[in-house]
Amino acid sequence: MGTKEDFMQQAVALSRQQIDKTGCAPFAALVVKDGVVIGKGCNQVIFKSDPTSHGEVEALRDAAQHVGSWDLKGCDLYTTCEPCELCVAAIHWARISKVYYANTLEDCAPMNLNLDVLRSDVRNDIQNRSTPAEQVLHGEANQVLREWFASGNAQSF
């Protein structure tokens, strides 16, 4: 059983290892359950050509595979940087119990990450976001959704 600081040191070491190995951004995360690391992840956006491959998302994916479930209730996340909105959403859906972070998003200002548009988009209705959106085939897709609800499978969420 490690302390918060022990787990964060592991995450920091993983981020350093990643930049030395691949040159990717130094964002790493660990998922911990009952004092045991069950998931690890590093930012792989450039390496994998995947815009969702943030350290937190990779750690959540690894942990979910480890336990065989998307539901990570009772797990904590240790991340080397305050999560962005994408990662906050993934953390929410995974039902993480607590997040521990090291750097803040403000610390990343030299990277020129403009998160203001992202924050605005997340909070706005779909018609008021920066990327234009148009609803198409609502009736057909809604029928499938209603069939799924009727099947009872939606109860697992």
Side-chain angles (χ1 to χ4, degrees):
M1 292 279 276
T3 66
K4 313 182 270 205
E5 292 79 9
D6 292 335
F7 291 120
M8 189 60 75
Q9 285 177 342
Q10 289 180 49
V12 170
L14 186 60
S15 72
R16 179 172 285 116
Q17 176 187 33
Q18 185 62 29
I19 60 172
D20 290 345
K21 181 179 175 184
T22 66
C24 288
F27 304 118
L30 305 175
V31 176
V32 176
K33 182 172 180 112
D34 300 325
V36 177
V37 175
I38 63 165
K40 294 180 182 181
C42 293
N43 182 292
Q44 299 286 316
V45 169
I46 295 169
F47 190 69
K48 289 185 173 181
S49 299
D50 178 355
T52 68
S53 186
H54 292 198
E56 297 90 339
V57 172
E58 291 295 327
L60 293 171
R61 289 173 179 159
D62 189 37
Q65 290 297 308
H66 179 83
V67 299
S69 174
W70 58 270
D71 187 346
L72 299 175
K73 192 180 325 170
C75 296
D76 295 329
L77 182 93
Y78 291 80
T79 178
T80 59
C81 189
E82 173 188 356
C84 70
E85 281 74 1
L86 172 102
C87 295
V88 168
I91 290 163
H92 169 82
W93 292 118
R95 299 181 177 168
I96 291 294
S97 296
K98 187 166 184 174
V99 174
Y100 296 91
Y101 67 97
N103 290 307
T104 66
L105 289 171
E106 189 175 304
D107 293 330
C108 299
M111 293 177 67
N112 293 320
L113 299 175
N114 182 357
L115 297 177
D116 293 339
V117 173
L118 175 59
R119 287 185 181 121
S120 175
D121 276 357
V122 167
R123 292 179 176 104
N124 279 325
D125 291 333
I126 195 165
Q127 297 304 325
N128 296 323
R129 295 179 184 158
S130 63
T131 303
E134 178 181 348
Q135 190 172 26
V136 180
L137 293 179
H138 174 253
E140 289 182 41
N142 191 260
Q143 177 60 37
V144 174
L145 182 62
R146 285 182 282 151
E147 290 168 11
W148 182 64
F149 288 144
S151 74
N153 291 329
Q155 294 175 0
S156 65
F157 287 88

